[in-house]
Amino acid sequence: MGCQFSCKTSCGAPHSLDAMTVANGHSKEKASPSPRLTPASALSKQKTVMEHVSFSHGSGRMPMVGLGTWTAKDEEMEAALEMALQNGYRHIDTATDYHNEKVIGKVLEKWIKDGKVKREELFITTKLPVYGNRASDVEKWLNRSIDNLRCEYIDLYLIHVPFGFAKGESVTFDNDGRVQLDNDTDHVAMWKELEKQVEAGKAKAIGVSNFNQKQIQKLIVSAKILPANLQIENHIYLQQHQLVDFCHDNKITVTAYSPLGNPSLQGFFSKLGITKEIPSVLHCPEVVDISKRMKKSAAQVLLRYNIQRGIAVIPKSIKSERQKENIELFDFKLTEEDMKALRSLDRGEEGRIVRFEFFKGVYDHPEFPFKED
């Protein structure tokens, strides 16, 4: 998600990156000693470069830039995904809780049947819903996602959030408007079921989202298959360096949701009667100054910052030109001075946008991840 209901780089992250380039449908080797180049797509008319991060376990490579799809549904989602595939996107991030898996599956199936893309060229991430956070529900919800997405397997399946809600087909609330919790959430038991899905070939890799360091460490200690990925909110105002470093030290890749600060959440919160101002990272003076000097958009600067930290990004956009901007991140690099300036903007927990306050009572769950120690 933007919100979670919707490499070896200069930072030294311990994952290998492969670059690939496409120019007018023909792949070609770069005249440089760095990563091997392979064709990504024969559809992009513009030159497209993409780097991939390889998991230390599991199979496949994850493109460093993906399409976020939270809050996009039906006709809007269908059009946005068509544009994204035309623009060279092959990494699609969704979730059961986004309620758009069916339309995504429809588009992807058509592209595959028409010979425009092969299934193995796609990287699909989806997530276990919060009301399915129990071992007995893992296989059911994964099977449903596979059916909705019209594919035989999921490239990366994540536990969406560490807390659990009452068993059902959707989020339920009591008479006071408080979300109905399941306080018996057992991460280790759930993880063992996820491992079985990898062994069955239904998920190529598995990971978690919105987990804190202690929760991840608990999985590491007991896991047979280690988490391949952590998806978290990450942008210049919430950089989570300690958590990112912990993941990289343990060979866990990191994906940033809301890498552009998720300005669309302002309207979402307002509709729910939540008074919360979303900071505009895109208009941050330091970001604007760098973008002008480098002749890149503010969004490109922000996304490139995370890329150089070894963090994959999944910005959401339903506009073609912005999609193109968001994926064209590999023909420039931020300087050490730029990186230092952007790092200094970190506000820590004060910069967090998504705290799940739209679920009244969620903070009472014993596994709520953002509690003060």
Side-chain angles (χ1 to χ4, degrees):
M1 161 173 142
C3 149
Q4 292 293 304
F5 291 91
S6 40
C7 86
K8 196 171 184 178
T9 65
S10 58
C11 74
H15 310 298
S16 62
L17 288 175
D18 299 317
M20 57 190 178
T21 185
V22 176
N24 297 322
H26 301 285
S27 63
K28 59 182 181 181
E29 293 290 334
K30 267 187 182 175
S32 77
S34 60
R36 180 174 56 86
L37 305 174
T38 54
S41 164
L43 293 170
S44 179
K45 295 181 180 179
Q46 292 185 322
K47 182 177 179 180
T48 302
V49 176
M50 177 58 64
E51 291 181 351
H52 290 66
V53 61
S54 296
F55 298 141
S56 61
H57 47 278
S59 61
R61 305 176 310 157
M62 181 174 70
M64 290 289 282
V65 184
L67 179 72
T69 66
W70 182 62
T71 73
K73 299 179 180 67
D74 303 331
E75 293 84 1
E76 179 186 72
M77 182 70 256
E78 185 171 354
L81 183 53
E82 286 278 356
M83 287 187 292
L85 292 169
Q86 290 284 355
N87 288 328
Y89 285 77
R90 294 296 179 264
H91 175 183
I92 312 301
D93 182 90
T94 184
T96 298
D97 281 309
Y98 300 170
H99 304 292
N100 58 20
E101 287 181 329
K102 287 185 177 180
V103 69
I104 290 173
K106 173 185 173 183
V107 174
L108 295 181
E109 182 181 56
K110 184 176 185 298
W111 270 62
I112 292 171
K113 284 186 175 179
D114 290 347
K116 295 180 180 180
V117 69
K118 297 178 180 178
R119 172 63 184 92
E120 57 267 27
E121 294 175 331
L122 297 169
F123 190 95
I124 303 172
T125 300
T126 192
K127 310 174 188 79
L128 181 70
V130 64
Y131 38 86
N133 263 8
R134 55 195 57 83
S136 60
D137 280 355
V138 167
E139 185 174 14
K140 164 192 168 180
W141 288 106
L142 175 55
N143 285 341
R144 188 173 298 186
S145 288
I146 288 173
D147 289 343
N148 288 341
L149 290 162
R150 306 187 190 189
C151 56
E152 295 180 353
Y153 63 89
I154 301 300
D155 294 279
L156 177 62
Y157 196 59
L158 305 177
I159 299 175
H160 203 155
V161 289
F163 46 84
F165 290 175
K167 184 181 180 72
E169 293 294 310
S170 63
V171 180
T172 55
F173 301 85
D174 64 20
N175 292 334
D176 295 324
R178 295 174 65 87
V179 67
Q180 293 187 315
L181 302 174
D182 176 358
N183 289 325
D184 295 325
T185 305
D186 186 338
H187 297 157
V188 173
M190 291 164 60
W191 193 256
K192 290 184 183 302
E193 288 301 316
L194 285 171
E195 291 174 332
K196 291 179 183 178
Q197 303 311 309
V198 174
E199 293 168 353
K202 295 180 182 180
K204 296 293 185 181
I206 50 179
V208 295
S209 180
N210 295 298
F211 275 49
N212 61 34
Q213 185 171 324
K214 290 181 179 179
Q215 292 165 334
I216 299 169
Q217 181 63 50
K218 187 175 181 180
L219 290 181
I220 290 174
V221 170
S222 62
K224 180 168 60 175
I225 301 174
L226 295 176
N229 181 262
L230 169 68
Q231 187 176 125
I232 51 172
E233 178 184 346
N234 204 289
H235 45 75
I236 55 170
Y237 292 155
L238 180 67
Q239 300 188 28
Q240 305 206 71
H241 290 286
Q242 182 177 339
L243 181 56
V244 171
D245 289 345
F246 168 80
C247 286
H248 285 166
D249 288 344
N250 285 279
K251 298 183 179 180
I252 299 171
T253 62
V254 179
T255 301
Y257 72 77
S258 297
L260 303 179
N262 214 329
S264 65
L265 279 182
Q266 192 73 69
F268 175 76
F269 283 130
S270 296
K271 289 179 180 178
L272 295 175
I274 299 172
T275 302
K276 181 172 184 174
E277 185 175 350
I278 307 300
S280 177
V281 299
L282 290 165
H283 295 96
C284 173
E286 290 86 349
V287 174
V288 173
D289 287 346
I290 294 171
S291 70
K292 288 180 179 178
R293 173 166 46 79
M294 302 202 74
K295 297 182 179 179
K296 297 291 181 179
S297 71
Q300 287 174 313
V301 170
L302 290 167
L303 296 173
R304 182 66 204 180
Y305 177 63
N306 266 343
I307 293 292
Q308 286 184 217
R309 295 176 61 207
I311 300 173
V313 292
I314 47 171
K316 177 206 166 189
S317 180
I318 60 174
K319 296 183 179 179
S320 183
E321 287 307 310
R322 289 184 181 174
Q323 287 182 356
K324 290 176 184 178
E325 276 189 359
N326 290 347
I327 204 171
E328 293 171 358
L329 304 176
F330 303 100
D331 61 347
F332 74 102
K333 285 187 177 181
L334 300 175
T335 67
E336 290 185 12
E337 291 76 14
D338 294 335
M339 294 292 288
K340 184 177 180 180
L342 295 174
R343 184 183 178 102
S344 71
L345 301 173
D346 189 11
R347 300 178 181 177
E349 280 300 308
E350 290 183 4
R352 188 181 296 279
I353 296 171
V354 181
R355 292 191 60 84
F356 301 101
E357 56 264 72
F358 37 85
F359 293 128
K360 184 180 178 182
V362 69
Y363 299 164
D364 295 333
H365 195 284
E367 294 291 352
F368 184 76
F370 311 138
K371 291 179 179 178
E372 297 289 339
D373 289 333

PDB file of all heavy atoms in Angstrom, residues 307-330:
ATOM      1  N   ILE A 307      16.333   4.652  -3.717  1.00  0.00           N
ATOM      2  CA  ILE A 307      17.043   3.694  -4.560  1.00  0.00           C
ATOM      3  C   ILE A 307      18.514   3.625  -4.158  1.00  0.00           C
ATOM      4  O   ILE A 307      19.101   2.538  -4.030  1.00  0.00           O
ATOM      5  CB  ILE A 307      16.926   4.080  -6.050  1.00  0.00           C
ATOM      6  CG1 ILE A 307      15.479   3.940  -6.552  1.00  0.00           C
ATOM      7  CG2 ILE A 307      17.886   3.243  -6.909  1.00  0.00           C
ATOM      8  CD1 ILE A 307      14.970   2.527  -6.634  1.00  0.00           C
ATOM      9  N   GLN A 308      19.126   4.774  -3.924  1.00  0.00           N
ATOM     10  CA  GLN A 308      20.537   4.786  -3.550  1.00  0.00           C
ATOM     11  C   GLN A 308      20.779   4.271  -2.141  1.00  0.00           C
ATOM     12  O   GLN A 308      21.906   3.948  -1.765  1.00  0.00           O
ATOM     13  CB  GLN A 308      21.131   6.185  -3.729  1.00  0.00           C
ATOM     14  CG  GLN A 308      21.344   6.539  -5.184  1.00  0.00           C
ATOM     15  CD  GLN A 308      22.025   7.874  -5.425  1.00  0.00           C
ATOM     16  OE1 GLN A 308      21.686   8.569  -6.383  1.00  0.00           O
ATOM     17  NE2 GLN A 308      22.981   8.265  -4.598  1.00  0.00           N
ATOM     18  N   ARG A 309      19.724   4.167  -1.358  1.00  0.00           N
ATOM     19  CA  ARG A 309      19.815   3.534  -0.039  1.00  0.00           C
ATOM     20  C   ARG A 309      19.565   2.026  -0.134  1.00  0.00           C
ATOM     21  O   ARG A 309      19.555   1.329   0.870  1.00  0.00           O
ATOM     22  CB  ARG A 309      18.787   4.147   0.919  1.00  0.00           C
ATOM     23  CG  ARG A 309      19.023   5.613   1.240  1.00  0.00           C
ATOM     24  CD  ARG A 309      17.908   6.168   2.118  1.00  0.00           C
ATOM     25  NE  ARG A 309      17.829   5.468   3.388  1.00  0.00           N
ATOM     26  CZ  ARG A 309      16.715   5.361   4.113  1.00  0.00           C
ATOM     27  NH1 ARG A 309      15.569   5.888   3.676  1.00  0.00           N
ATOM     28  NH2 ARG A 309      16.733   4.724   5.271  1.00  0.00           N
ATOM     29  N   GLY A 310      19.363   1.538  -1.342  1.00  0.00           N
ATOM     30  CA  GLY A 310      19.105   0.114  -1.526  1.00  0.00           C
ATOM     31  C   GLY A 310      17.675  -0.282  -1.246  1.00  0.00           C
ATOM     32  O   GLY A 310      17.393  -1.447  -0.976  1.00  0.00           O
ATOM     33  N   ILE A 311      16.751   0.673  -1.326  1.00  0.00           N
ATOM     34  CA  ILE A 311      15.344   0.442  -1.003  1.00  0.00           C
ATOM     35  C   ILE A 311      14.513   0.525  -2.281  1.00  0.00           C
ATOM     36  O   ILE A 311      14.598   1.518  -3.023  1.00  0.00           O
ATOM     37  CB  ILE A 311      14.838   1.489   0.010  1.00  0.00           C
ATOM     38  CG1 ILE A 311      15.646   1.411   1.311  1.00  0.00           C
ATOM     39  CG2 ILE A 311      13.350   1.311   0.276  1.00  0.00           C
ATOM     40  CD1 ILE A 311      15.327   2.520   2.295  1.00  0.00           C
ATOM     41  N   ALA A 312      13.720  -0.508  -2.555  1.00  0.00           N
ATOM     42  CA  ALA A 312      12.811  -0.481  -3.692  1.00  0.00           C
ATOM     43  C   ALA A 312      11.657   0.477  -3.398  1.00  0.00           C
ATOM     44  O   ALA A 312      11.347   0.760  -2.230  1.00  0.00           O
ATOM     45  CB  ALA A 312      12.272  -1.880  -3.974  1.00  0.00           C
ATOM     46  N   VAL A 313      11.013   0.980  -4.440  1.00  0.00           N
ATOM     47  CA  VAL A 313       9.938   1.961  -4.274  1.00  0.00           C
ATOM     48  C   VAL A 313       8.725   1.546  -5.100  1.00  0.00           C
ATOM     49  O   VAL A 313       8.857   0.973  -6.177  1.00  0.00           O
ATOM     50  CB  VAL A 313      10.395   3.379  -4.684  1.00  0.00           C
ATOM     51  CG1 VAL A 313      11.442   3.909  -3.718  1.00  0.00           C
ATOM     52  CG2 VAL A 313      10.954   3.396  -6.108  1.00  0.00           C
ATOM     53  N   ILE A 314       7.534   1.864  -4.587  1.00  0.00           N
ATOM     54  CA  ILE A 314       6.292   1.525  -5.296  1.00  0.00           C
ATOM     55  C   ILE A 314       5.361   2.739  -5.333  1.00  0.00           C
ATOM     56  O   ILE A 314       4.281   2.732  -4.738  1.00  0.00           O
ATOM     57  CB  ILE A 314       5.593   0.308  -4.662  1.00  0.00           C
ATOM     58  CG1 ILE A 314       5.506   0.438  -3.128  1.00  0.00           C
ATOM     59  CG2 ILE A 314       6.290  -0.981  -5.048  1.00  0.00           C
ATOM     60  CD1 ILE A 314       4.627  -0.631  -2.478  1.00  0.00           C
ATOM     61  N   PRO A 315       5.778   3.816  -6.025  1.00  0.00           N
ATOM     62  CA  PRO A 315       4.911   4.995  -6.114  1.00  0.00           C
ATOM     63  C   PRO A 315       3.646   4.684  -6.908  1.00  0.00           C
ATOM     64  O   PRO A 315       3.670   3.886  -7.848  1.00  0.00           O
ATOM     65  CB  PRO A 315       5.786   6.005  -6.856  1.00  0.00           C
ATOM     66  CG  PRO A 315       6.693   5.153  -7.700  1.00  0.00           C
ATOM     67  CD  PRO A 315       6.993   3.949  -6.843  1.00  0.00           C
ATOM     68  N   LYS A 316       2.561   5.324  -6.515  1.00  0.00           N
ATOM     69  CA  LYS A 316       1.299   5.148  -7.231  1.00  0.00           C
ATOM     70  C   LYS A 316       1.041   6.366  -8.108  1.00  0.00           C
ATOM     71  O   LYS A 316       1.217   7.510  -7.665  1.00  0.00           O
ATOM     72  CB  LYS A 316       0.141   4.988  -6.249  1.00  0.00           C
ATOM     73  CG  LYS A 316      -1.225   4.881  -6.937  1.00  0.00           C
ATOM     74  CD  LYS A 316      -2.345   5.356  -6.046  1.00  0.00           C
ATOM     75  CE  LYS A 316      -3.602   5.558  -6.872  1.00  0.00           C
ATOM     76  NZ  LYS A 316      -4.668   6.229  -6.095  1.00  0.00           N
ATOM     77  N   SER A 317       0.650   6.120  -9.346  1.00  0.00           N
ATOM     78  CA  SER A 317       0.202   7.205 -10.205  1.00  0.00           C
ATOM     79  C   SER A 317      -0.739   6.650 -11.258  1.00  0.00           C
ATOM     80  O   SER A 317      -0.535   5.550 -11.771  1.00  0.00           O
ATOM     81  CB  SER A 317       1.382   7.901 -10.903  1.00  0.00           C
ATOM     82  OG  SER A 317       0.904   8.953 -11.731  1.00  0.00           O
ATOM     83  N   ILE A 318      -1.772   7.423 -11.572  1.00  0.00           N
ATOM     84  CA  ILE A 318      -2.707   7.012 -12.621  1.00  0.00           C
ATOM     85  C   ILE A 318      -2.516   7.856 -13.878  1.00  0.00           C
ATOM     86  O   ILE A 318      -3.287   7.747 -14.821  1.00  0.00           O
ATOM     87  CB  ILE A 318      -4.169   7.136 -12.129  1.00  0.00           C
ATOM     88  CG1 ILE A 318      -4.497   8.579 -11.733  1.00  0.00           C
ATOM     89  CG2 ILE A 318      -4.431   6.177 -10.981  1.00  0.00           C
ATOM     90  CD1 ILE A 318      -5.959   8.796 -11.387  1.00  0.00           C
ATOM     91  N   LYS A 319      -1.458   8.684 -13.869  1.00  0.00           N
ATOM     92  CA  LYS A 319      -1.162   9.539 -15.017  1.00  0.00           C
ATOM     93  C   LYS A 319       0.102   9.046 -15.717  1.00  0.00           C
ATOM     94  O   LYS A 319       1.129   8.832 -15.084  1.00  0.00           O
ATOM     95  CB  LYS A 319      -0.997  10.994 -14.569  1.00  0.00           C
ATOM     96  CG  LYS A 319      -2.271  11.583 -13.988  1.00  0.00           C
ATOM     97  CD  LYS A 319      -2.094  13.044 -13.620  1.00  0.00           C
ATOM     98  CE  LYS A 319      -3.397  13.632 -13.068  1.00  0.00           C
ATOM     99  NZ  LYS A 319      -3.250  15.057 -12.677  1.00  0.00           N
ATOM    100  N   SER A 320       0.028   8.910 -17.045  1.00  0.00           N
ATOM    101  CA  SER A 320       1.109   8.312 -17.808  1.00  0.00           C
ATOM    102  C   SER A 320       2.426   9.065 -17.660  1.00  0.00           C
ATOM    103  O   SER A 320       3.482   8.450 -17.470  1.00  0.00           O
ATOM    104  CB  SER A 320       0.734   8.235 -19.293  1.00  0.00           C
ATOM    105  OG  SER A 320       1.750   7.600 -20.043  1.00  0.00           O
ATOM    106  N   GLU A 321       2.395  10.384 -17.757  1.00  0.00           N
ATOM    107  CA  GLU A 321       3.639  11.146 -17.691  1.00  0.00           C
ATOM    108  C   GLU A 321       4.319  10.989 -16.337  1.00  0.00           C
ATOM    109  O   GLU A 321       5.544  10.895 -16.252  1.00  0.00           O
ATOM    110  CB  GLU A 321       3.380  12.625 -17.995  1.00  0.00           C
ATOM    111  CG  GLU A 321       3.083  12.905 -19.455  1.00  0.00           C
ATOM    112  CD  GLU A 321       4.146  12.350 -20.390  1.00  0.00           C
ATOM    113  OE1 GLU A 321       5.347  12.611 -20.138  1.00  0.00           O
ATOM    114  OE2 GLU A 321       3.798  11.654 -21.351  1.00  0.00           O
ATOM    115  N   ARG A 322       3.527  10.958 -15.286  1.00  0.00           N
ATOM    116  CA  ARG A 322       4.113  10.769 -13.957  1.00  0.00           C
ATOM    117  C   ARG A 322       4.652   9.359 -13.795  1.00  0.00           C
ATOM    118  O   ARG A 322       5.679   9.140 -13.157  1.00  0.00           O
ATOM    119  CB  ARG A 322       3.085  11.088 -12.873  1.00  0.00           C
ATOM    120  CG  ARG A 322       2.782  12.584 -12.766  1.00  0.00           C
ATOM    121  CD  ARG A 322       1.837  12.881 -11.633  1.00  0.00           C
ATOM    122  NE  ARG A 322       1.534  14.306 -11.556  1.00  0.00           N
ATOM    123  CZ  ARG A 322       0.643  14.831 -10.720  1.00  0.00           C
ATOM    124  NH1 ARG A 322      -0.023  14.036  -9.884  1.00  0.00           N
ATOM    125  NH2 ARG A 322       0.416  16.136 -10.709  1.00  0.00           N
ATOM    126  N   GLN A 323       3.948   8.390 -14.358  1.00  0.00           N
ATOM    127  CA  GLN A 323       4.453   7.022 -14.332  1.00  0.00           C
ATOM    128  C   GLN A 323       5.821   6.947 -15.002  1.00  0.00           C
ATOM    129  O   GLN A 323       6.744   6.295 -14.493  1.00  0.00           O
ATOM    130  CB  GLN A 323       3.484   6.070 -15.028  1.00  0.00           C
ATOM    131  CG  GLN A 323       2.221   5.774 -14.258  1.00  0.00           C
ATOM    132  CD  GLN A 323       1.330   4.786 -14.984  1.00  0.00           C
ATOM    133  OE1 GLN A 323       1.629   4.381 -16.115  1.00  0.00           O
ATOM    134  NE2 GLN A 323       0.236   4.383 -14.352  1.00  0.00           N
ATOM    135  N   LYS A 324       5.955   7.603 -16.136  1.00  0.00           N
ATOM    136  CA  LYS A 324       7.233   7.599 -16.853  1.00  0.00           C
ATOM    137  C   LYS A 324       8.328   8.238 -16.012  1.00  0.00           C
ATOM    138  O   LYS A 324       9.445   7.721 -15.928  1.00  0.00           O
ATOM    139  CB  LYS A 324       7.091   8.340 -18.183  1.00  0.00           C
ATOM    140  CG  LYS A 324       6.241   7.626 -19.219  1.00  0.00           C
ATOM    141  CD  LYS A 324       6.088   8.481 -20.471  1.00  0.00           C
ATOM    142  CE  LYS A 324       5.165   7.817 -21.479  1.00  0.00           C
ATOM    143  NZ  LYS A 324       4.960   8.666 -22.685  1.00  0.00           N
ATOM    144  N   GLU A 325       8.026   9.362 -15.397  1.00  0.00           N
ATOM    145  CA  GLU A 325       8.997  10.026 -14.526  1.00  0.00           C
ATOM    146  C   GLU A 325       9.427   9.106 -13.390  1.00  0.00           C
ATOM    147  O   GLU A 325      10.611   8.992 -13.068  1.00  0.00           O
ATOM    148  CB  GLU A 325       8.395  11.302 -13.920  1.00  0.00           C
ATOM    149  CG  GLU A 325       8.465  12.528 -14.787  1.00  0.00           C
ATOM    150  CD  GLU A 325       8.052  13.772 -14.011  1.00  0.00           C
ATOM    151  OE1 GLU A 325       7.704  13.645 -12.818  1.00  0.00           O
ATOM    152  OE2 GLU A 325       8.074  14.870 -14.597  1.00  0.00           O
ATOM    153  N   ASN A 326       8.452   8.453 -12.782  1.00  0.00           N
ATOM    154  CA  ASN A 326       8.713   7.650 -11.591  1.00  0.00           C
ATOM    155  C   ASN A 326       9.568   6.420 -11.863  1.00  0.00           C
ATOM    156  O   ASN A 326      10.164   5.864 -10.934  1.00  0.00           O
ATOM    157  CB  ASN A 326       7.395   7.218 -10.951  1.00  0.00           C
ATOM    158  CG  ASN A 326       6.640   8.370 -10.316  1.00  0.00           C
ATOM    159  OD1 ASN A 326       7.175   9.453 -10.137  1.00  0.00           O
ATOM    160  ND2 ASN A 326       5.378   8.138  -9.997  1.00  0.00           N
ATOM    161  N   ILE A 327       9.634   5.992 -13.113  1.00  0.00           N
ATOM    162  CA  ILE A 327      10.415   4.795 -13.423  1.00  0.00           C
ATOM    163  C   ILE A 327      11.763   5.152 -14.046  1.00  0.00           C
ATOM    164  O   ILE A 327      12.656   4.299 -14.148  1.00  0.00           O
ATOM    165  CB  ILE A 327       9.610   3.855 -14.353  1.00  0.00           C
ATOM    166  CG1 ILE A 327      10.110   2.403 -14.213  1.00  0.00           C
ATOM    167  CG2 ILE A 327       9.646   4.319 -15.793  1.00  0.00           C
ATOM    168  CD1 ILE A 327       9.247   1.383 -14.918  1.00  0.00           C
ATOM    169  N   GLU A 328      11.933   6.398 -14.445  1.00  0.00           N
ATOM    170  CA  GLU A 328      13.187   6.826 -15.079  1.00  0.00           C
ATOM    171  C   GLU A 328      14.136   7.374 -14.015  1.00  0.00           C
ATOM    172  O   GLU A 328      14.331   8.587 -13.880  1.00  0.00           O
ATOM    173  CB  GLU A 328      12.891   7.862 -16.168  1.00  0.00           C
ATOM    174  CG  GLU A 328      12.127   7.262 -17.350  1.00  0.00           C
ATOM    175  CD  GLU A 328      11.632   8.304 -18.339  1.00  0.00           C
ATOM    176  OE1 GLU A 328      11.850   9.517 -18.085  1.00  0.00           O
ATOM    177  OE2 GLU A 328      11.013   7.911 -19.344  1.00  0.00           O
ATOM    178  N   LEU A 329      14.733   6.466 -13.278  1.00  0.00           N
ATOM    179  CA  LEU A 329      15.539   6.835 -12.114  1.00  0.00           C
ATOM    180  C   LEU A 329      16.984   6.367 -12.199  1.00  0.00           C
ATOM    181  O   LEU A 329      17.755   6.585 -11.254  1.00  0.00           O
ATOM    182  CB  LEU A 329      14.916   6.218 -10.849  1.00  0.00           C
ATOM    183  CG  LEU A 329      13.453   6.549 -10.556  1.00  0.00           C
ATOM    184  CD1 LEU A 329      12.989   5.784  -9.331  1.00  0.00           C
ATOM    185  CD2 LEU A 329      13.268   8.051 -10.358  1.00  0.00           C
ATOM    186  N   PHE A 330      17.362   5.759 -13.311  1.00  0.00           N
ATOM    187  CA  PHE A 330      18.657   5.095 -13.344  1.00  0.00           C
ATOM    188  C   PHE A 330      19.645   5.743 -14.317  1.00  0.00           C
ATOM    189  O   PHE A 330      20.666   5.144 -14.652  1.00  0.00           O
ATOM    190  CB  PHE A 330      18.456   3.617 -13.662  1.00  0.00           C
ATOM    191  CG  PHE A 330      17.530   2.955 -12.674  1.00  0.00           C
ATOM    192  CD1 PHE A 330      16.199   2.733 -12.992  1.00  0.00           C
ATOM    193  CD2 PHE A 330      17.974   2.597 -11.406  1.00  0.00           C
ATOM    194  CE1 PHE A 330      15.329   2.152 -12.077  1.00  0.00           C
ATOM    195  CE2 PHE A 330      17.119   2.017 -10.485  1.00  0.00           C
ATOM    196  CZ  PHE A 330      15.794   1.794 -10.817  1.00  0.00           C
TER     197      PHE A 330
END
